[in-house]
């Protein structure tokens, strides 16, 4: 049986305006299907448009041409069912681990107990127990990226986008976190329907659904 489509990228192009009225083409006629229970890796050299494609997929940027459909409907603006893990951690230094993770949930219509339960759950999921009140400056690079991952997972997205999240880490830490993400997916410890990994050096094959 064919796995249901989550997201369809149809003939998407993206141009960036430059000074002097010029523009540069970043994406050209991109077509892509993302299904439930699927891991997709986007490969390419630095500057080829991988990050732009991810930002367009989740709705941070609009395509110059073409369209993106989420569950059969044309996507307009941010997709609340998608989350992004950034390459550079993107943590607020004045907030604790707990506060950084909870930040993305503040605008959701959740009861306080539900919101707290989500935060506690992802803290346990990514191995941050005992660091809830720590600040980013007190964490290693690997721990900071765990916070970024936990913040994305707390949103309970159907599509988890990862913009080279481990490339700034040392080889051992990068490999450890990559394996942990795969473990979360294959052991069904997460409700994520699809994982999208943007990487210039790592390709993941499709994972079996449970």
């Amino acid at each position: 049986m064919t796995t249901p489509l989550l997201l369809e990228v149809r003939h998407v192009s993206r141009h960036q305006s430059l000074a002097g009225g010029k523009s540069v083409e970043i994406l050209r006629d991109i077509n892509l299907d993302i299904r439930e229970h699927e891991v997709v890796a986007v490969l390419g050299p630095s500057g080829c448009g991988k990050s732009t494609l991810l930002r367009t997929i989740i709705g941070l940027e609009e395509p110059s041409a073409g369209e993106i459909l989420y569950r059969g409907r044309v996507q307009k603006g941010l997709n609340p069912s998608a989350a992004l893990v950034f390459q550079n951690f993107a943590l607020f230094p004045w907030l604790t681990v707990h506060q950084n993770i909870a930040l993305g949930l503040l605008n959701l219509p959740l009861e306080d107990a539900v919101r707290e339960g989500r935060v506690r759950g992802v803290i346990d999921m990514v191995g941050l127990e005992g660091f809830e009140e720590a600040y980013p400056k007190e964490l290693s690079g690997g721990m900071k990226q765990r916070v970024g991952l936990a913040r994305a997972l707390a949103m309970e997205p159907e599509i988890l986008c990862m913009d080279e999240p481990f490339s700034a880490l040392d080889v051992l830490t990068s490999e450890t976190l990559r394996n942990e993400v795969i473990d979360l997916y294959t052991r069904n410890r997460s409700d994520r329907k699809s994982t999208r990994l943007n990487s210039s050096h790592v390709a993941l094959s499709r994972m079996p659904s449970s």
Side-chain angles (χ1 to χ4, degrees):
M1 185 174 68
T2 304
T3 307
L5 273 172
L6 274 180
L7 190 126
E8 303 167 63
V9 179
R10 292 288 173 260
H11 303 289
V12 166
S13 297
R14 171 72 181 172
H15 297 82
Q16 182 67 45
S17 298
L18 301 177
K22 297 182 179 180
S23 67
V24 59
E25 184 180 59
I26 303 175
L27 303 174
R28 178 193 296 175
D29 197 24
I30 303 297
N31 292 275
L32 181 67
D33 289 342
I34 300 177
R35 298 181 179 275
E36 291 185 0
H37 305 293
E38 191 171 50
V39 174
V40 179
V42 178
L43 304 179
S46 178
C48 73
K50 302 186 303 297
S51 295
T52 299
L53 177 59
L54 284 189
R55 291 196 298 269
T56 304
I57 282 175
I58 68 173
L60 286 175
E61 297 186 17
E62 293 186 3
S64 303
E67 61 184 10
I68 295 176
L69 289 80
Y70 175 73
R71 291 197 176 278
R73 297 185 177 182
V74 176
Q75 178 175 296
K76 298 294 185 181
L78 283 172
N79 184 343
S81 296
L84 177 64
V85 182
F86 297 91
Q87 179 179 354
N88 61 353
F89 313 136
L91 304 181
F92 292 96
W94 59 88
L95 299 180
T96 64
V97 166
H98 186 286
Q99 291 168 336
N100 265 287
I101 295 172
L103 190 63
L105 302 177
L106 293 180
N107 293 326
L108 297 183
L110 300 174
E111 296 182 359
D112 290 344
V114 175
R115 184 179 294 110
E116 180 65 17
R118 282 202 195 181
V119 175
R120 293 292 178 184
V122 295
I123 284 176
D124 177 68
M125 186 185 298
V126 303
L128 287 171
E129 307 95 324
F131 293 90
E132 293 88 344
E133 301 306 315
Y135 288 90
K137 67 179 180 180
E138 301 169 325
L139 304 176
S140 66
M143 296 298 286
K144 290 177 183 177
Q145 197 54 283
R146 289 176 189 270
V147 178
L149 178 60
R151 181 177 54 193
L153 293 177
M155 301 295 293
E156 297 189 352
E158 287 195 304
I159 299 175
L160 176 61
C161 299
M162 307 181 74
D163 189 5
E164 297 192 60
F166 312 131
S167 62
L169 306 176
D170 63 86
V171 175
L172 181 59
T173 302
S174 174
E175 184 67 17
T176 298
L177 289 177
R178 189 177 297 114
N179 288 335
E180 288 183 4
V181 170
I182 296 174
D183 182 64
L184 286 173
Y185 187 86
T186 57
R187 293 187 179 218
N188 200 29
R189 292 168 57 192
S190 162
D191 291 331
R192 257 47 58 198
K193 301 289 187 181
S194 176
T195 299
R196 181 172 179 76
L197 177 67
N198 171 7
S199 173
S200 57
H201 52 79
V202 177
L204 297 181
S205 62
R206 181 178 178 184
M207 301 293 177
S209 58
S210 57

